[in-house]
């Protein structure tokens, strides 16, 4: 069961680092989660730092055991987690919630949260997926260098209990993770695409220093983004293309 047990930590450098240390002791059961009131060195995608004022947001890491998933299907886990978070956030923020490829959570064209999955391997066995989530809940003031942040409080005008929201989030993740079986991969991928930010719509992108108008046409089972540019469909991996968001 996801979030059973759920440990509440006062402060850590990174919940992903803390979870990794606990998993390496061999005493952790799958689904164990750690919520931090404060994180001093939070990690985001591609080496970025995730900053959060103490006690205002959800800072959560869950130790997931991929089970029958082969390493070549890592994206299916990422998609299931992103869908679970999207389901949960949209239940409060409404149907303008979306997943920005590959697994950021957006409301309209603003970022509400992100997901970072780090794998624990034993030989060729995918033993654990250390799955971290940072989601803006009650924060209303953000650093100026962040281009487009938004919080649940800014969307709804309400102050929320982040720990209670976390328990609901774990339940939503549980439902989506049940689909991690080869028989459900197609259903999972279609659900992911149905929630995808800018899917089938024109938008501005950047590859290296080139800006261009493109349209997302598909996402492949390995997670590659199929982006149409000047009539040609490019297959792009993580970090190979940047979404340009106009403030």
């Amino acid at each position: 069961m996801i979030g059973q047990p759920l440990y509440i930590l006062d402060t850590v450098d990174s919940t992903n680092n803390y979870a990794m240390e606990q998993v390496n002791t061999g005493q952790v059961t799958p689904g164990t989660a750690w919520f931090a009131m404060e994180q001093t060195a939070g990690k985001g995608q591609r080496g970025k730092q995730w900053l959060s004022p103490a006690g205002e947001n959800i800072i959560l890491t869950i130790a997931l055991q991929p089970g029958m998933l082969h390493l070549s299907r890592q994206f299916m886990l990422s998609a299931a987690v992103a869908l679970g978070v999207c389901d949960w956030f949209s239940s409060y923020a409404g149907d303008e919630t979306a997943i920005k490829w590959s697994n950021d959570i957006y409301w309209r064209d603003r970022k509400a949260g992100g997901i970072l999955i780090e794998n624990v391997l034993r030989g060729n066995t995918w033993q654990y997926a250390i799955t971290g989530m940072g989601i803006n809940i009650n924060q209303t003031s953000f650093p100026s260098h962040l281009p487009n942040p938004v919080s649940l409080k800014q969307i709804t005008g309400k102050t929320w209990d982040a720990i209670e929201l976390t328990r609901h989030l774990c339940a939503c993740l549980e439902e989506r993770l049940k689909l991690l079986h080869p028989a459900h991969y197609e259903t999972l991928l279609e659900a992911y695409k149905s929630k995808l930010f800018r899917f089938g719509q024109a938008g501005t992108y950047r590859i290296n220093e080139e800006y261009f108008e493109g349209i997302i046409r598909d996402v492949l089972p390995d997670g590659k983004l199929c982006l149409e540019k000047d009539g040609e469909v490019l297959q792009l991996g993580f970090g190979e293309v940047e979404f340009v968001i106009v403030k």
Side-chain angles (χ1 to χ4, degrees), residues 131-147:
T131 304
M133 286 155 266
I135 305 164
N136 300 327
I137 301 300
N138 292 316
Q139 186 173 356
T140 55
S141 178
F142 294 89
S144 59
H145 69 273
L146 295 178

Side-chain angles (χ1 to χ4, degrees), residues 61-106:
T61 294
I62 303 170
L64 299 177
Q65 201 162 50
M68 69 178 65
L69 271 183
H70 190 271
L71 274 171
S72 64
R73 294 300 189 189
Q74 290 182 55
F75 181 69
M76 290 294 101
L77 175 64
S78 177
V81 172
L83 277 166
V85 179
C86 185
D87 293 341
W88 163 79
F89 198 83
S90 65
S91 71
Y92 301 97
D95 58 10
E96 292 179 286
T97 304
I99 301 167
K100 176 180 158 290
W101 181 82
S102 60
N103 55 16
D104 284 338
I105 302 304
Y106 264 48

Side-chain angles (χ1 to χ4, degrees), residues 8-27:
I8 311 300
L9 308 173
D10 288 333
T11 183
V12 292
D13 60 344
S14 155
T15 53
N16 267 32
N17 286 350
Y18 186 89
M20 193 77 73
E21 292 169 2
Q22 299 304 304
V23 164
N24 286 335
T25 69
Q27 303 300 310

Side-chain angles (χ1 to χ4, degrees), residues 195-220:
K195 297 294 185 180
L196 198 63
F197 177 67
R198 285 188 184 173
F199 188 76
Q201 302 173 7
T204 304
Y205 299 88
R206 184 175 75 169
I207 296 178
N208 299 321
E209 297 304 316
E210 179 190 0
Y211 290 81
F212 61 92
E213 290 294 305
I215 301 175
I216 297 173
R217 294 301 187 190
D218 202 0
V219 177
L220 302 181

Side-chain angles (χ1 to χ4, degrees), residues 162-221:
I163 295 176
E164 286 305 308
L165 288 185
T166 297
R167 298 186 194 282
H168 182 208
L169 170 58
C170 288
C172 291
L173 287 166
E174 177 84 26
E175 289 304 306
R176 287 296 188 176
L177 289 166
K178 288 177 181 177
L179 296 176
L180 281 179
H181 184 282
H184 302 303
Y185 286 166
E186 185 175 345
T187 299
L188 192 62
L189 192 57
E190 289 304 312
Y192 175 87
K193 288 186 283 189
S194 76
K195 297 294 185 180
L196 198 63
F197 177 67
R198 285 188 184 173
F199 188 76
Q201 302 173 7
T204 304
Y205 299 88
R206 184 175 75 169
I207 296 178
N208 299 321
E209 297 304 316
E210 179 190 0
Y211 290 81
F212 61 92
E213 290 294 305
I215 301 175
I216 297 173
R217 294 301 187 190
D218 202 0
V219 177
L220 302 181

